[in-house]
């Protein structure tokens, strides 16, 4: 298409008299517009979706304009940046945790947690790791996922059961060096912001059926039965590898086994396992 190969420029009106606004860098105005959009979203508190939809529509219109004329109008780019800034701030706020999330009740002292087991317990070197949906903390209704570590002294509850235990609730943190693996970000992608530890004085007990969907309970219950059947095998690398390849549970795998898979170019077998 004629003109498509030309560089896209930001087109401004030119005037014969000196005007300081027209002589600034053309990208300053969109940057200021973006900041104004963020401030507008902060002051008005409107939902993010209208702004995001508007910014997408304006962006498509600007792309078509640029393809046709080889330039971007400054007014269009400014309006796009305003809508984008307002939408992104609203999107970030919509992802904030609700007031009754269990993350707000973390503390070093033990608390009574009542939660529903929603996934098959994963065997680790020192016990079990459970994914539970919090229901109450010290009698106060809450919500949110908790990654619960339980020592081998206790038998993990069945999937779908509601349990109570005296645990320590801790926020998920990352201690890696800059550029290393972001553990907190990895769990946040799974909506997990809290971990808990059940030691010898936790005394976990089952309270009866919880609020878990039938299909999810059936699938995770099957995975739990397979995992418990593997308990009859001798502990070690073979059992851990079997759990990793069949159930996708890599808690028993040591660093040597993981490094061996990486060195042989077969790490993808662990990445897709358990599907």
């Amino acid at each position: 298409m004629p003109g498509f190969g030309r560089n896209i420029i930001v087109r401004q009106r030119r005037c014969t008299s000196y005007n300081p606004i027209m002589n600034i860098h053309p990208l300053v105005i969109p940057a200021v517009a973006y900041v104004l959009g963020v401030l507008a979203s902060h002051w008005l508190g409107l939902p993010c979706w209208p702004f995001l939809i508007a910014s997408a529509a304006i962006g498509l219109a600007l792309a078509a304009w640029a393809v046709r004329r080889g330039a971007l109008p400054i007014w269009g780019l400014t309006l796009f940046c305003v809508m984008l800034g307002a939408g992104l701030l609203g999107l970030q706020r919509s992802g904030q945790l609700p007031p009754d999330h269990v993350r707000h009740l973390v503390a070093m002292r033990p608390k009574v947690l009542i939660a529903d087991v929603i996934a098959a317990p994963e065997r680790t070197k020192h016990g079990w790791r459970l994914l539970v949906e919090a229901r109450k903390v010290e009698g106060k209704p809450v919500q949110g996922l908790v990654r619960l570590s339980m020592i081998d002294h206790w038998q993990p509850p069945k999937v779908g059961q509601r349990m109570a235990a005296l645990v320590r609730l801790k926020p998920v943190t990352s201690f890696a060096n800059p550029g290393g693996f972001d553990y907190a970000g990895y769990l946040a992608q799974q909506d997990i912001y809290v971990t808990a530890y059940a030691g010898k004085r936790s005394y976990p007990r089952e309270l009866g059926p919880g609020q878990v969907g039938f299909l999810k309970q059936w699938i995770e219950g099957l995975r739990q039965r397979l995992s418990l059947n593997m308990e009859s095998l001798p502990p070690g690398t073979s059992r851990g590898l079997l759990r990793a390849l069949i159930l996708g549970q890599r808690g028993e795998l040591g660093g040597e086994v993981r490094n061996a898979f990486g060195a042989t170019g077969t790490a993808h077998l662990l990445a897709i396992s358990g599907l």
Side-chain angles (χ1 to χ4, degrees), residues 76-184:
L77 189 59
T78 302
L79 184 59
F80 169 77
C81 291
V82 170
M83 295 299 174
L84 183 63
L88 290 180
L89 180 63
L91 183 62
Q92 181 183 9
R93 285 187 167 181
S94 65
Q96 292 180 352
L97 301 178
D100 60 342
H101 197 276
V102 67
R103 173 65 176 79
H104 302 302
L105 297 178
V106 296
M108 293 305 298
R109 69 176 183 87
K111 292 186 176 183
V112 178
L113 170 68
I114 297 179
D116 298 339
V117 182
I118 63 173
E122 180 180 356
R123 177 53 117 155
T124 64
K125 293 183 177 180
H126 305 289
W128 298 90
R129 184 184 298 131
L130 288 74
L131 182 62
V132 300
E133 177 76 28
R135 301 302 180 188
K136 290 184 179 181
V137 173
E138 296 290 330
K140 181 178 180 180
V142 295
Q143 62 171 307
L145 299 178
V146 178
R147 196 172 192 178
L148 174 61
S149 297
M150 182 180 296
I151 62 174
D152 206 11
H153 182 75
W154 306 109
Q155 186 69 17
K158 295 181 180 179
V159 175
Q161 290 293 307
R162 180 163 295 182
M163 61 167 294
L166 186 64
V167 300
R168 297 181 183 272
L169 299 172
K170 300 180 181 180
V172 179
T173 55
S174 294
F175 297 100
N177 294 327
F181 176 67
D182 185 7
Y183 179 68

Side-chain angles (χ1 to χ4, degrees), residues 29-43 78 81-83 85-86:
I29 296 179
V32 174
Y34 180 85
V35 174
L36 292 177
V38 172
L39 294 177
S41 178
H42 173 71
W43 290 329
T78 302
C81 291
V82 170
M83 295 299 174

Side-chain angles (χ1 to χ4, degrees), residues 186 244-245 248 250 253 258 261 266-275:
Y186 167 73
L245 294 177
R250 299 185 286 272
L253 285 184
R258 298 172 186 264
F261 272 87
T266 55
H268 61 280
L269 296 178
L270 296 179
I272 66 173
S273 62
L275 295 180

Side-chain angles (χ1 to χ4, degrees), residues 9 74 107 171:
I9 62 173
I74 188 64

Side-chain angles (χ1 to χ4, degrees), residues 211-224:
Q211 299 177 359
V212 182
F214 173 78
L215 181 60
K216 182 177 183 61
Q217 182 175 346
W218 183 81
I219 295 175
E220 294 296 331
L222 176 60
R223 289 166 53 84
Q224 185 175 16

Side-chain angles (χ1 to χ4, degrees), residues 19-75:
N19 190 333
I21 298 180
M22 292 294 103
N23 286 274
I24 63 176
H25 195 280
L27 295 182
V28 172
I29 296 179
V32 174
Y34 180 85
V35 174
L36 292 177
V38 172
L39 294 177
S41 178
H42 173 71
W43 290 329
L44 299 177
L46 298 177
C48 63
W49 303 115
F51 292 107
L52 292 178
I53 294 175
S55 64
I58 296 173
L60 291 175
L62 288 176
W65 185 293
V67 170
R68 184 175 181 179
R69 300 195 178 185
L72 289 176
I74 188 64
W75 60 267

